[in-house]
Amino acid sequence: SKVCEFLSETFGLEAIRKMLSAYRQGTKEEEILAQVTGLGLEEMERRFRDYWKKETGNFWADLDFSWARPDRTRPELERELRTHPRNYFAHLALASLEKKQGNIPEAISHYRAACEIFPDDVGEEGSYVMLAELYSQSGEPARAAAVLEEWKSRGGFHPNALKKLAALQKGLRQPAKAAQALEAICFVNPFDEEVHRELGEMYLTLGDPRKAVQEFDVALALDPVDLATAHFNAARAYLQISDSDTTRKHLLRALEAAPGFRPAQKMLLELKRRDGKNAP
Protein backbone atom coordinates (compact mmCIF):
# COMPACT_ATOMS: atom_id res chain seq x y z
CA SER A 1 0.00 0.00 0.00
CA LYS A 2 2.88 2.38 0.76
CA VAL A 3 4.44 1.61 -2.64
CA CYS A 4 1.16 2.56 -4.33
CA GLU A 5 0.99 5.71 -2.24
CA PHE A 6 4.57 6.60 -3.22
CA LEU A 7 3.90 5.99 -6.93
CA SER A 8 0.70 8.02 -6.85
CA GLU A 9 2.28 10.98 -5.06
CA THR A 10 5.45 10.91 -7.18
CA PHE A 11 4.18 10.02 -10.64
CA GLY A 12 0.41 10.44 -10.42
CA LEU A 13 -2.43 7.92 -10.28
CA GLU A 14 -2.25 7.43 -14.04
CA ALA A 15 1.18 5.80 -13.57
CA ILE A 16 -0.42 3.04 -11.49
CA ARG A 17 -3.07 2.47 -14.17
CA LYS A 18 -0.38 2.17 -16.84
CA MET A 19 1.61 -0.26 -14.68
CA LEU A 20 -1.41 -2.49 -14.08
CA SER A 21 -2.09 -2.56 -17.80
CA ALA A 22 1.52 -3.55 -18.49
CA TYR A 23 1.42 -6.29 -15.82
CA ARG A 24 -1.70 -7.68 -17.49
CA GLN A 25 0.26 -7.96 -20.75
CA GLY A 26 3.00 -9.97 -19.01
CA THR A 27 5.67 -7.28 -19.17
CA LYS A 28 8.57 -7.71 -16.71
CA GLU A 29 8.77 -5.38 -13.73
CA GLU A 30 11.99 -3.58 -14.70
CA GLU A 31 10.62 -2.89 -18.18
CA ILE A 32 7.38 -1.57 -16.69
CA LEU A 33 9.19 0.84 -14.38
CA ALA A 34 11.34 2.10 -17.23
CA GLN A 35 8.32 2.59 -19.50
CA VAL A 36 6.11 4.32 -16.94
CA THR A 37 8.56 6.24 -14.72
CA GLY A 38 11.75 6.40 -16.77
CA LEU A 39 13.66 4.92 -13.79
CA GLY A 40 15.46 1.64 -13.29
CA LEU A 41 14.63 -0.77 -10.44
CA GLU A 42 17.61 0.23 -8.27
CA GLU A 43 16.84 3.94 -8.56
CA MET A 44 13.17 3.30 -7.85
CA GLU A 45 14.02 1.30 -4.72
CA ARG A 46 16.40 4.05 -3.55
CA ARG A 47 13.71 6.71 -3.97
CA PHE A 48 11.13 4.56 -2.20
CA ARG A 49 13.50 3.95 0.76
CA ASP A 50 14.08 7.69 1.05
CA TYR A 51 10.32 8.29 0.92
CA TRP A 52 9.64 5.60 3.54
CA LYS A 53 12.35 6.87 5.88
CA LYS A 54 10.89 10.37 5.65
CA GLU A 55 7.45 8.95 6.49
CA THR A 56 8.63 6.88 9.46
CA GLY A 57 11.35 9.02 11.00
CA ASN A 58 13.81 6.91 13.03
CA PHE A 59 11.76 3.76 12.60
CA TRP A 60 14.20 2.15 10.14
CA ALA A 61 17.20 2.89 12.35
CA ASP A 62 15.51 0.95 15.17
CA LEU A 63 14.74 -1.98 12.86
CA ASP A 64 18.22 -2.89 11.64
CA PHE A 65 17.60 -6.29 10.05
CA SER A 66 21.29 -7.14 10.09
CA TRP A 67 20.78 -7.80 13.80
CA ALA A 68 18.04 -10.34 13.16
CA ARG A 69 20.61 -13.03 12.35
CA PRO A 70 20.45 -15.99 14.75
CA ASP A 71 24.24 -16.28 15.08
CA ARG A 72 24.73 -13.03 17.01
CA THR A 73 26.54 -13.64 20.32
CA ARG A 74 25.67 -12.17 23.70
CA PRO A 75 28.75 -9.90 23.79
CA GLU A 76 27.89 -8.58 20.32
CA LEU A 77 24.29 -7.89 21.32
CA GLU A 78 25.25 -6.19 24.58
CA ARG A 79 27.82 -3.97 22.83
CA GLU A 80 25.24 -3.03 20.20
CA LEU A 81 22.67 -2.00 22.81
CA ARG A 82 25.22 0.13 24.62
CA THR A 83 25.74 2.01 21.36
CA HIS A 84 22.20 1.81 19.99
CA PRO A 85 19.80 1.19 22.89
CA ARG A 86 16.77 1.19 20.56
CA ASN A 87 17.90 -1.71 18.39
CA TYR A 88 14.70 -3.77 18.23
CA PHE A 89 16.22 -7.04 17.03
CA ALA A 90 19.06 -6.87 19.57
CA HIS A 91 16.50 -6.58 22.37
CA LEU A 92 14.54 -9.53 20.98
CA ALA A 93 17.66 -11.69 20.70
CA LEU A 94 18.80 -10.90 24.25
CA ALA A 95 15.29 -11.46 25.59
CA SER A 96 15.32 -14.93 24.04
CA LEU A 97 18.76 -15.69 25.51
CA GLU A 98 17.76 -14.52 28.99
CA LYS A 99 14.56 -16.55 28.82
CA LYS A 100 16.45 -19.73 27.87
CA GLN A 101 18.82 -19.21 30.78
CA GLY A 102 15.98 -18.62 33.23
CA ASN A 103 16.73 -14.93 33.77
CA ILE A 104 13.09 -13.91 33.65
CA PRO A 105 13.33 -10.30 34.96
CA GLU A 106 16.03 -9.53 32.39
CA ALA A 107 14.00 -11.17 29.60
CA ILE A 108 10.95 -9.14 30.64
CA SER A 109 12.99 -5.94 30.49
CA HIS A 110 14.12 -6.63 26.92
CA TYR A 111 10.66 -7.63 25.72
CA ARG A 112 9.19 -4.47 27.24
CA ALA A 113 11.79 -2.41 25.39
CA ALA A 114 10.93 -4.23 22.16
CA CYS A 115 7.22 -3.45 22.64
CA GLU A 116 8.01 0.23 23.14
CA ILE A 117 10.31 0.41 20.09
CA PHE A 118 7.99 -1.47 17.73
CA PRO A 119 4.46 -1.30 19.21
CA ASP A 120 2.85 -2.72 16.07
CA ASP A 121 4.55 -6.12 16.39
CA VAL A 122 1.35 -8.14 16.81
CA GLY A 123 2.61 -11.51 15.60
CA GLU A 124 1.64 -14.69 17.42
CA GLU A 125 5.19 -15.02 18.75
CA GLY A 126 5.99 -11.32 18.87
CA SER A 127 7.22 -9.27 21.79
CA TYR A 128 3.76 -8.66 23.32
CA VAL A 129 2.83 -12.33 23.39
CA MET A 130 6.21 -13.38 24.77
CA LEU A 131 6.09 -10.67 27.42
CA ALA A 132 2.61 -11.77 28.50
CA GLU A 133 3.82 -15.37 28.75
CA LEU A 134 6.66 -14.34 31.08
CA TYR A 135 4.33 -12.26 33.26
CA SER A 136 2.05 -15.30 33.55
CA GLN A 137 4.96 -17.52 34.53
CA SER A 138 5.97 -14.92 37.12
CA GLY A 139 2.54 -15.03 38.75
CA GLU A 140 1.41 -11.63 37.45
CA PRO A 141 -1.81 -12.39 35.53
CA ALA A 142 -3.06 -8.80 35.62
CA ARG A 143 0.08 -7.57 33.87
CA ALA A 144 -0.08 -10.45 31.39
CA ALA A 145 -3.69 -9.58 30.56
CA ALA A 146 -2.87 -5.87 30.19
CA VAL A 147 -0.09 -6.68 27.70
CA LEU A 148 -2.37 -8.90 25.62
CA GLU A 149 -5.14 -6.29 25.73
CA GLU A 150 -2.68 -3.79 24.25
CA TRP A 151 -1.67 -6.41 21.67
CA LYS A 152 -5.31 -6.96 20.74
CA SER A 153 -6.04 -3.22 20.53
CA ARG A 154 -3.22 -2.85 18.00
CA GLY A 155 -4.63 -5.54 15.73
CA GLY A 156 -3.48 -8.81 17.29
CA PHE A 157 -5.87 -11.55 16.23
CA HIS A 158 -4.18 -14.96 16.57
CA PRO A 159 -6.60 -17.43 18.20
CA ASN A 160 -4.09 -19.01 20.62
CA ALA A 161 -3.09 -15.65 22.09
CA LEU A 162 -6.73 -14.57 22.28
CA LYS A 163 -7.53 -17.79 24.16
CA LYS A 164 -4.75 -16.97 26.63
CA LEU A 165 -6.18 -13.48 27.05
CA ALA A 166 -9.68 -14.84 27.67
CA ALA A 167 -8.36 -17.35 30.23
CA LEU A 168 -6.45 -14.62 32.05
CA GLN A 169 -9.48 -12.33 32.13
CA LYS A 170 -11.70 -15.15 33.33
CA GLY A 171 -9.24 -15.84 36.15
CA LEU A 172 -9.26 -12.14 37.02
CA ARG A 173 -13.07 -12.25 37.19
CA GLN A 174 -13.54 -10.06 34.12
CA PRO A 175 -16.18 -12.06 32.21
CA ALA A 176 -17.20 -9.18 29.93
CA LYS A 177 -13.62 -8.73 28.72
CA ALA A 178 -13.17 -12.50 28.40
CA ALA A 179 -16.29 -12.63 26.23
CA GLN A 180 -14.88 -9.92 23.96
CA ALA A 181 -11.67 -11.89 23.48
CA LEU A 182 -13.63 -15.05 22.64
CA GLU A 183 -15.85 -13.11 20.25
CA ALA A 184 -12.73 -11.93 18.42
CA ILE A 185 -11.67 -15.55 17.90
CA CYS A 186 -14.98 -16.30 16.20
CA PHE A 187 -14.12 -13.79 13.47
CA VAL A 188 -10.83 -15.61 12.84
CA ASN A 189 -11.85 -19.22 13.42
CA PRO A 190 -15.64 -19.65 13.57
CA PHE A 191 -15.40 -23.45 13.69
CA ASP A 192 -13.81 -23.84 17.13
CA GLU A 193 -16.41 -25.69 19.18
CA GLU A 194 -14.55 -25.10 22.44
CA VAL A 195 -14.61 -21.33 21.93
CA HIS A 196 -18.38 -21.27 21.33
CA ARG A 197 -18.92 -23.41 24.43
CA GLU A 198 -16.75 -21.08 26.54
CA LEU A 199 -18.52 -18.06 25.10
CA GLY A 200 -21.88 -19.58 25.98
CA GLU A 201 -20.68 -19.97 29.57
CA MET A 202 -19.51 -16.36 29.63
CA TYR A 203 -22.90 -15.14 28.42
CA LEU A 204 -24.67 -17.13 31.14
CA THR A 205 -22.33 -15.57 33.70
CA LEU A 206 -23.13 -12.13 32.28
CA GLY A 207 -26.88 -12.78 32.46
CA ASP A 208 -27.44 -12.89 28.70
CA PRO A 209 -29.05 -16.31 28.09
CA ARG A 210 -30.23 -15.50 24.56
CA LYS A 211 -26.66 -15.04 23.40
CA ALA A 212 -25.75 -18.18 25.34
CA VAL A 213 -28.44 -20.09 23.42
CA GLN A 214 -26.91 -18.96 20.16
CA GLU A 215 -23.39 -20.06 21.16
CA PHE A 216 -24.45 -23.43 22.56
CA ASP A 217 -26.48 -24.10 19.40
CA VAL A 218 -23.41 -23.35 17.28
CA ALA A 219 -21.30 -25.63 19.48
CA LEU A 220 -23.82 -28.43 18.90
CA ALA A 221 -23.77 -27.84 15.15
CA LEU A 222 -19.99 -28.37 15.19
CA ASP A 223 -20.42 -32.03 16.19
CA PRO A 224 -18.79 -32.00 19.66
CA VAL A 225 -17.20 -35.12 21.11
CA ASP A 226 -19.11 -34.78 24.40
CA LEU A 227 -22.62 -34.66 22.98
CA ALA A 228 -24.33 -35.13 26.35
CA THR A 229 -22.68 -32.06 27.89
CA ALA A 230 -23.30 -30.01 24.75
CA HIS A 231 -27.05 -30.74 24.89
CA PHE A 232 -27.10 -30.14 28.63
CA ASN A 233 -25.46 -26.71 28.16
CA ALA A 234 -28.08 -25.81 25.56
CA ALA A 235 -30.81 -26.95 27.98
CA ARG A 236 -29.42 -24.66 30.69
CA ALA A 237 -29.60 -21.67 28.37
CA TYR A 238 -33.08 -22.43 27.01
CA LEU A 239 -34.36 -22.89 30.56
CA GLN A 240 -33.24 -19.34 31.38
CA ILE A 241 -35.30 -17.92 28.51
CA SER A 242 -38.33 -19.94 29.71
CA ASP A 243 -38.46 -22.26 26.69
CA SER A 244 -39.48 -25.45 28.49
CA ASP A 245 -40.16 -27.49 25.35
CA THR A 246 -36.72 -26.92 23.86
CA THR A 247 -35.12 -27.39 27.27
CA ARG A 248 -36.80 -30.78 27.59
CA LYS A 249 -35.75 -31.74 24.05
CA HIS A 250 -32.10 -31.07 24.80
CA LEU A 251 -32.24 -32.88 28.14
CA LEU A 252 -33.69 -35.97 26.46
CA ARG A 253 -30.99 -35.81 23.77
CA ALA A 254 -28.35 -35.54 26.49
CA LEU A 255 -29.74 -38.66 28.17
CA GLU A 256 -29.85 -40.49 24.85
CA ALA A 257 -26.13 -39.84 24.52
CA ALA A 258 -25.37 -40.70 28.17
CA PRO A 259 -28.30 -42.35 30.04
CA GLY A 260 -26.55 -42.03 33.40
CA PHE A 261 -25.80 -38.32 33.06
CA ARG A 262 -27.00 -37.16 36.49
CA PRO A 263 -27.07 -33.34 35.89
CA ALA A 264 -29.49 -33.89 32.97
CA GLN A 265 -31.59 -36.34 35.03
CA LYS A 266 -31.83 -33.84 37.88
CA MET A 267 -32.77 -30.92 35.63
CA LEU A 268 -35.38 -32.98 33.79
CA LEU A 269 -36.94 -34.02 37.11
CA GLU A 270 -36.99 -30.40 38.32
CA LEU A 271 -38.56 -29.32 35.04
CA LYS A 272 -41.31 -31.92 35.38
CA ARG A 273 -42.04 -30.82 38.95
CA ARG A 274 -42.18 -27.19 37.92
CA ASP A 275 -44.44 -27.86 34.97
CA GLY A 276 -46.69 -29.96 37.22
CA LYS A 277 -47.06 -27.08 39.65
CA ASN A 278 -47.92 -24.70 36.83
CA ALA A 279 -50.47 -27.04 35.26
CA PRO A 280 -54.12 -25.88 35.53
Side-chain angles (χ1 to χ4, degrees), residues 68-105:
R69 295 196 339 244
D71 60 342
R72 293 288 189 180
T73 65
R74 177 186 284 274
E76 282 183 302
L77 293 165
E78 291 175 344
R79 282 197 301 269
E80 169 62 14
L81 285 180
R82 283 195 292 270
T83 307
H84 302 107
R86 288 184 60 82
N87 187 317
Y88 171 75
F89 289 109
H91 277 293
L92 279 188
L94 272 176
S96 179
L97 285 174
E98 300 290 12
K99 180 185 175 186
K100 288 178 181 177
Q101 295 177 7
N103 303 323
I104 303 305

Side-chain angles (χ1 to χ4, degrees), residues 24-274:
R24 185 169 60 246
Q25 295 168 14
T27 309
K28 293 183 179 180
E29 188 165 58
E30 288 196 52
E31 294 177 17
I32 293 174
L33 289 173
Q35 291 173 9
V36 177
T37 69
L39 301 175
L41 184 59
E42 288 188 9
E43 176 63 15
M44 179 64 72
E45 288 182 343
R46 186 191 68 76
R47 291 197 183 190
F48 176 70
R49 282 197 300 271
D50 290 344
Y51 171 83
W52 185 241
K53 287 177 181 178
K54 184 179 178 181
E55 289 282 302
T56 58
N58 294 325
F59 184 72
W60 280 108
D62 297 340
L63 289 182
D64 184 346
F65 282 85
S66 67
W67 287 93
R69 295 196 339 244
D71 60 342
R72 293 288 189 180
T73 65
R74 177 186 284 274
E76 282 183 302
L77 293 165
E78 291 175 344
R79 282 197 301 269
E80 169 62 14
L81 285 180
R82 283 195 292 270
T83 307
H84 302 107
R86 288 184 60 82
N87 187 317
Y88 171 75
F89 289 109
H91 277 293
L92 279 188
L94 272 176
S96 179
L97 285 174
E98 300 290 12
K99 180 185 175 186
K100 288 178 181 177
Q101 295 177 7
N103 303 323
I104 303 305
E106 291 81 1
I108 285 176
S109 177
H110 285 296
Y111 279 129
R112 286 179 62 182
C115 290
E116 178 187 346
I117 294 166
F118 187 15
D120 291 326
D121 177 11
V122 294
E124 187 174 8
E125 296 182 357
S127 50
Y128 284 108
V129 176
M130 300 306 295
L131 177 59
E133 180 184 320
L134 292 182
Y135 276 136
S136 292
Q137 291 177 7
S138 303
E140 299 183 82
R143 282 189 170 183
V147 168
L148 287 179
E149 285 171 5
E150 177 69 13
W151 166 85
K152 179 174 175 286
S153 73
R154 290 185 175 275
F157 63 86
H158 295 278
N160 289 337
L162 287 168
K163 285 182 180 180
K164 291 177 184 176
L165 174 58
L168 287 165
Q169 291 166 330
K170 183 178 178 181
L172 293 168
R173 297 183 181 180
Q174 299 172 339
K177 288 185 175 181
Q180 290 175 358
L182 293 170
E183 287 166 356
I185 297 174
C186 294
F187 287 103
V188 183
N189 180 13
F191 301 108
D192 190 326
E193 179 264 331
E194 179 187 357
V195 169
H196 289 288
R197 174 165 45 83
E198 284 284 329
L199 193 49
E201 292 289 349
M202 287 296 102
Y203 286 141
L204 286 181
T205 300
L206 292 166
D208 195 340
R210 292 195 177 277
K211 284 189 176 181
V213 161
Q214 174 180 301
E215 295 304 320
F216 287 137
D217 280 349
V218 172
L220 268 168
L222 292 172
D223 194 21
V225 174
D226 188 351
L227 198 58
T229 299
H231 278 291
F232 178 68
N233 286 336
R236 291 163 54 212
Y238 276 104
L239 184 63
Q240 290 197 26
I241 63 171
S242 302
D243 187 340
S244 297
D245 291 340
T246 308
T247 300
R248 186 179 296 102
K249 180 190 75 174
H250 281 294
L251 289 173
L252 292 174
R253 293 292 300 276
L255 292 171
E256 284 178 11
F261 191 28
R262 292 187 64 82
Q265 293 174 344
K266 182 179 179 182
M267 184 180 287
L268 185 60
L269 182 60
E270 291 174 352
L271 187 62
K272 287 182 177 179
R273 288 173 177 167
R274 192 186 72 176

